[in-house]
Amino acid sequence: MEKQRNEALVRVACVQMEPVIGEKARNIRRSVERIETAADNGAHLVVLPELANSGYVFETREEAFSLAETVPDGPTCDAWAEVAVRRGIWLVAGLSEREGDALYNAAVLIGPHGHIGTFRKNHLWNEENLFFEPGNLGFPVFHTPIGRIGMMICYDAWFPESFRLCALQGADIVCIPTNWVPMPEQDLERDAMANILVMGASHANSVFVAAADRVGTERGQPFIGQSLITNHAGWPVAGPASATEEEILYADLNVADARRERNWNDFNQVLRDRRTDVYGEMLGSGAKRGWF
Amino acid sequence: MEKQRNEALVRVACVQMEPVIGEKARNIRRSVERIETAADNGAHLVVLPELANSGYVFETREEAFSLAETVPDGPTCDAWAEVAVRRGIWLVAGLSEREGDALYNAAVLIGPHGHIGTFRKNHLWNEENLFFEPGNLGFPVFHTPIGRIGMMICYDAWFPESFRLCALQGADIVCIPTNWVPMPEQDLERDAMANILVMGASHANSVFVAAADRVGTERGQPFIGQSLITNHAGWPVAGPASATEEEILYADLNVADARRERNWNDFNQVLRDRRTDVYGEMLGSGAKRGWF
């Protein structure tokens, strides 16, 4: 049964956790525990990290294939769909997807009636190129009763085109399952560059962003936590979370007000102000206009 | 005569100043004084704010026209070219340009041999729409002995497409004459959103950015200062400057190293990693490939 909710407010939870490489059953169990906690706390939409079920640092293709599964009819999606349906919530979570002999670094959107859609990471980072194929589903935006939901994964957020394509298709909330790693030359007196990219893109596209990162060090690779949720002006309304500890961020997002408040003055609405005559439509993903 | 310089280092100066609306002769004189100071301090490239000669808040079209001039053969460009040629430096500065009966919020690039090129602000902010025409010159990138130089003005930087077009045409340094105003919901515990947008875009495009803002309040409109210069990793190497005081920022940029260091690992170079099959080339400005 679907949860009662205030039509205007969507409570989003970002689960910052530490998956353990290879321990899929354990990772699924712990992710479901956290989803239950978030639902207990009134979350309508729960975001989990990238590759939340498998861990990130694969040593061999054999290992990568052994941890991947078909979507949506694999054991991880089954477990996530069970809790989403039972609790009447929406869920965006990262996992390793196998389709034939190809692997994708994927995220699924699951709702109160089960699997809604899948995203495949378009921009592969570093040795992901040894295991995964580049995403081939564009940046789909899904209509749900709580708003239009777009997805991207980690390095996709380094490309402003990713956010633009979501926003131009009307996305209200962009969900980012991520496994952020330290960036070269990080200025330790400032926000993490990953957070700066999220805040800037959220502001420049008037979209909420919910980024759920992992923590911990896996086979020598550290991850930086600092999950965050921004409002449509780009500012954190929850987080940045700890750099090292597991936690759950919560924020209540007013999707209706965000759509209303995109006009910054008598002349400017940032998504309408684009000079497509100068730089083209950038609608390669089949996006339509007229949402904003 | 052109200044001697280390081939690898370009000293950039951002002049944060307070033009006074309508007092063009005074604004020109004071801008030239600051250019001289920057040249005395070894600057090869000096960036001035948006509308540095005229001030920003026009009350009538008559006033706006009275302060505009043709480019490059008007008194402001003459004065700036005189100092640039005499000191052997490059200069990017904002002014109000008149072409026939159209006004543009423009920036000029001037070098040791005089006027090199002009940029016209593509994205007009608020009541600029009452006075200026939208820019019609794209985002040109000019080749100079100190590197490839792109320009944008203020609100252009809210559009990641602006930076992408500069970077895709090989820009080493993006110069931003600006008149930043307070943004709604600015988080006072964090960097100004304008600075966040600059840092993120600088990082995501591997370009240096030199943004010269104004300070002061003009006819009730406050400006926020906080000029800054970022390295190609996106981090401030000078500034953010004061929010209220005039000052000059200096940074030595190693353009050669920046071109070398765009490979972040064995697989990733952010400008090459774009998925143009997903979102198109975004080369509407006539940009070519192969620079990076």
Side-chain angles (χ1 to χ4, degrees):
Chain A
M1 194 184 87
E2 294 191 23
K3 185 177 298 251
Q4 289 294 316
R5 66 190 174 76
N6 181 320
E7 279 300 306
L9 293 179
V10 177
R11 178 161 291 182
V12 177
C14 281
V15 173
Q16 178 166 295
M17 57 182 286
E18 181 175 358
V20 175
I21 182 76
E23 299 191 16
K24 206 161 78 170
R26 172 188 173 283
N27 294 333
I28 294 170
R29 179 173 47 76
R30 296 185 75 234
S31 72
V32 170
E33 287 169 7
R34 280 152 184 73
I35 295 164
E36 299 270 17
T37 300
D40 290 345
N41 288 315
H44 306 105
L45 171 62
V46 180
V47 185
L48 264 63
E50 177 180 4
L51 297 175
N53 66 337
S54 61
Y56 182 84
V57 184
F58 307 125
E59 282 181 334
T60 63
R61 284 179 66 83
E62 193 170 29
E63 180 183 53
F65 272 79
S66 76
L67 294 169
E69 49 187 85
T70 52
V71 171
D73 58 346
T76 303
C77 280
D78 283 349
W80 287 341
E82 190 281 327
V83 65
V85 170
R86 180 164 44 77
R87 301 303 299 258
I89 61 170
W90 285 263
L91 180 61
V92 171
L95 79 171
S96 177
E97 178 190 6
R98 177 171 182 165
E99 183 187 58
D101 284 337
L103 302 189
Y104 297 94
N105 185 336
V108 285
L109 172 63
I110 294 170
H113 302 290
H115 178 262
I116 295 171
T118 304
F119 168 76
R120 291 168 172 170
K121 187 175 187 174
N122 282 310
H123 304 87
L124 297 178
W125 175 257
N126 209 348
E127 301 217 333
E128 292 171 30
N129 285 281
L130 303 181
F131 307 111
F132 294 113
E133 304 308 311
N136 56 1
L137 300 176
F139 287 92
V141 171
F142 297 96
H143 291 204
T144 79
I146 57 171
R148 305 180 196 114
I149 296 176
M151 295 180 274
M152 63 184 68
I153 298 175
C154 200
Y155 189 45
D156 288 322
W158 266 245
F159 299 81
E161 295 88 346
S162 307
F163 290 96
R164 274 290 197 250
L165 277 171
C166 289
L168 292 175
Q169 295 173 93
D172 296 299
I173 307 172
V174 173
C175 298
I176 313 184
T178 190
N179 280 188
W180 286 328
V181 300
M183 292 308 291
E185 301 188 41
Q186 168 70 42
D187 183 335
L188 297 176
E189 294 184 2
R190 298 200 131 74
D191 287 306
M193 182 52 78
N195 287 357
I196 287 173
L197 292 169
V198 163
M199 288 187 280
S202 170
H203 175 84
N205 291 284
S206 285
V207 291
F208 298 105
V209 179
D213 194 13
R214 63 164 289 169
V215 289
T217 295
E218 191 178 274
R219 292 177 173 166
Q221 174 65 61
F223 300 93
I224 66 165
Q226 300 171 74
S227 301
L228 88 168
I229 305 173
T230 59
N231 65 15
H232 66 291
W235 299 113
V237 285
S242 159
T244 54
E245 303 303 313
E246 297 194 330
E247 64 182 285
I248 304 179
L249 300 178
Y250 297 93
D252 291 323
L253 308 183
N254 190 322
V255 171
D257 277 358
R259 289 188 190 175
R260 283 191 190 94
E261 292 168 4
R262 283 184 174 158
N263 290 309
W264 287 342
N265 54 51
D266 288 340
F267 294 94
N268 297 112
Q269 201 272 34
V270 71
L271 288 170
R272 288 184 181 140
D273 288 343
R274 298 175 71 240
R275 289 289 307 275
T276 53
D277 57 319
V278 174
Y279 35 72
E281 291 279 347
M282 201 169 61
L283 294 176
S285 189
K288 295 176 289 186
R289 298 299 288 271
W291 299 118
F292 42 82
Chain B
M1 193 184 88
E2 295 191 24
K3 186 177 296 251
Q4 290 294 314
R5 65 189 175 77
N6 180 321
E7 279 299 308
L9 293 181
V10 177
R11 178 163 291 184
V12 177
C14 281
V15 174
Q16 179 166 294
M17 58 182 286
E18 181 175 358
V20 176
I21 183 75
E23 300 192 15
K24 205 160 79 170
R26 173 190 174 283
N27 294 333
I28 294 171
R29 178 173 48 75
R30 296 184 76 233
S31 72
V32 169
E33 287 169 7
R34 280 153 184 73
I35 295 165
E36 298 270 17
T37 300
D40 290 346
N41 288 316
H44 305 105
L45 171 62
V46 180
V47 185
L48 264 64
E50 178 180 6
L51 297 173
N53 67 336
S54 60
Y56 181 85
V57 183
F58 307 125
E59 283 181 335
T60 62
R61 283 179 68 83
E62 194 170 30
E63 179 182 53
F65 273 80
S66 76
L67 294 169
E69 49 186 86
T70 52
V71 171
D73 58 348
T76 304
C77 280
D78 282 350
W80 286 342
E82 190 281 328
V83 65
V85 171
R86 180 164 45 77
R87 302 303 299 259
I89 60 169
W90 285 263
L91 180 61
V92 171
L95 79 171
S96 177
E97 178 190 5
R98 177 171 182 164
E99 184 188 57
D101 284 338
L103 302 189
Y104 297 95
N105 186 336
V108 286
L109 172 64
I110 294 170
H113 302 291
H115 178 262
I116 295 170
T118 304
F119 168 76
R120 292 168 171 169
K121 187 175 187 173
N122 282 310
H123 304 87
L124 298 178
W125 175 256
N126 209 347
E127 301 217 333
E128 291 170 31
N129 286 281
L130 303 180
F131 306 110
F132 295 112
E133 304 308 312
N136 56 2
L137 301 176
F139 287 92
V141 171
F142 298 97
H143 292 204
T144 79
I146 56 171
R148 305 180 197 115
I149 296 176
M151 294 180 275
M152 64 185 68
I153 297 176
C154 200
Y155 189 45
D156 288 323
W158 266 245
F159 300 81
E161 295 87 347
S162 307
F163 290 95
R164 273 290 197 248
L165 276 171
C166 289
L168 292 175
Q169 294 173 96
D172 296 300
I173 307 172
V174 173
C175 298
I176 313 185
T178 190
N179 279 189
W180 287 327
V181 300
M183 292 308 291
E185 302 188 41
Q186 168 69 43
D187 183 335
L188 297 175
E189 294 185 1
R190 298 201 130 73
D191 287 306
M193 183 52 79
N195 288 355
I196 287 174
L197 291 170
V198 163
M199 288 188 280
S202 170
H203 175 84
N205 290 284
S206 286
V207 291
F208 298 105
V209 178
D213 195 12
R214 65 163 289 170
V215 289
T217 295
E218 192 178 273
R219 293 176 171 166
Q221 173 65 61
F223 300 94
I224 67 165
Q226 300 171 73
S227 302
L228 87 167
I229 306 174
T230 59
N231 65 15
H232 66 291
W235 299 113
V237 286
S242 159
T244 54
E245 303 302 314
E246 296 194 330
E247 63 182 283
I248 305 180
L249 301 178
Y250 296 94
D252 293 322
L253 308 183
N254 190 323
V255 171
D257 277 358
R259 289 189 190 174
R260 282 191 191 96
E261 293 168 3
R262 283 183 173 158
N263 290 308
W264 286 342
N265 54 51
D266 289 341
F267 293 94
N268 297 113
Q269 201 272 32
V270 71
L271 287 170
R272 288 184 182 140
D273 288 344
R274 296 175 73 240
R275 289 289 307 274
T276 53
D277 57 319
V278 174
Y279 36 72
E281 291 279 347
M282 201 170 61
L283 294 177
S285 188
K288 295 175 291 188
R289 299 297 290 269
W291 299 117
F292 40 83

